């Protein structure tokens, strides 16, 4: 009889065991919050040539995404002495927050860049005017 009681205790414990584990499962829901402003992301930035010659054309490939709100612009700037000068701007009107985008820019190396390190900056602007930026440096041959 004592063995039978122990047997039933074990069976009862095994029956309640699944209920104990289900209480530990975390729900796969994102917390509720309002996005006031979202920052896009420049995921990758590459240049076709990092040591160009004067007069050559460098192609920049930029992968961007903004998952909480649409991006509105992608700017290519040249940074000299802490000052950014806009070289080209691409505007977006139909942004899908579920996609990433690959954009290309071209820049012809000017004579005044000979023998210098040139910093090219890319800035992604979202609908709330939040920005993210990423720089790439080219070493122009003398």
């Amino acid at each position: 009889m004592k063995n039978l009681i122990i047997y039933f205790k074990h069976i009862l414990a095994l029956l309640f065991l699944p209920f104990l584990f289900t209480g530990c499962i975390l729900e796969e829901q994102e917390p509720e919050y309002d996005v006031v402003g979202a920052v896009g992301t420049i995921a990758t930035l590459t240049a076709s040539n990092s040591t160009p010659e004067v007069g050559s054309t460098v192609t920049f490939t930029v992968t961007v995404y903004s998952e909480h709100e649409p991006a509105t612009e992608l700017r290519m700037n040249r940074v000299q002495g802490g000052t950014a000068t806009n070289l080209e701007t691409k505007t977006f009107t139909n942004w899908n927050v579920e996609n990433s985008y690959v954009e290309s820019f071209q820049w012809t190396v000017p004579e005044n860049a000979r023998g210098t390190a040139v910093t090219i900056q890319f800035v992604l602007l979202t609908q709330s005017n939040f920005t993210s930026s990423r720089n790439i440096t080219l070493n122009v041959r003398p």
Side-chain angles (χ1 to χ4, degrees), residues 34-83:
D34 293 327
V35 176
V36 175
V39 177
T41 301
I42 299 172
T44 62
L45 170 59
T46 59
S48 61
N49 187 354
S50 61
T51 56
E53 294 179 352
V54 169
S56 65
T57 300
V58 179
T59 301
F60 299 97
T61 305
V62 186
T63 304
V64 295
Y65 65 91
S66 180
E67 64 185 355
H68 291 291
E69 72 177 27
T72 57
E73 287 183 354
L74 180 59
R75 300 175 187 156
M76 179 174 76
N77 301 325
R78 181 176 176 185
V79 180
Q80 277 182 294
T83 303

Side-chain angles (χ1 to χ4, degrees), residues 1-12:
M1 184 70 170
K2 186 175 180 182
N3 287 340
L4 190 60
I5 293 174
I6 293 174
Y7 176 75
F8 279 117
K9 284 183 181 179
H10 288 275
I11 294 292
L12 191 60

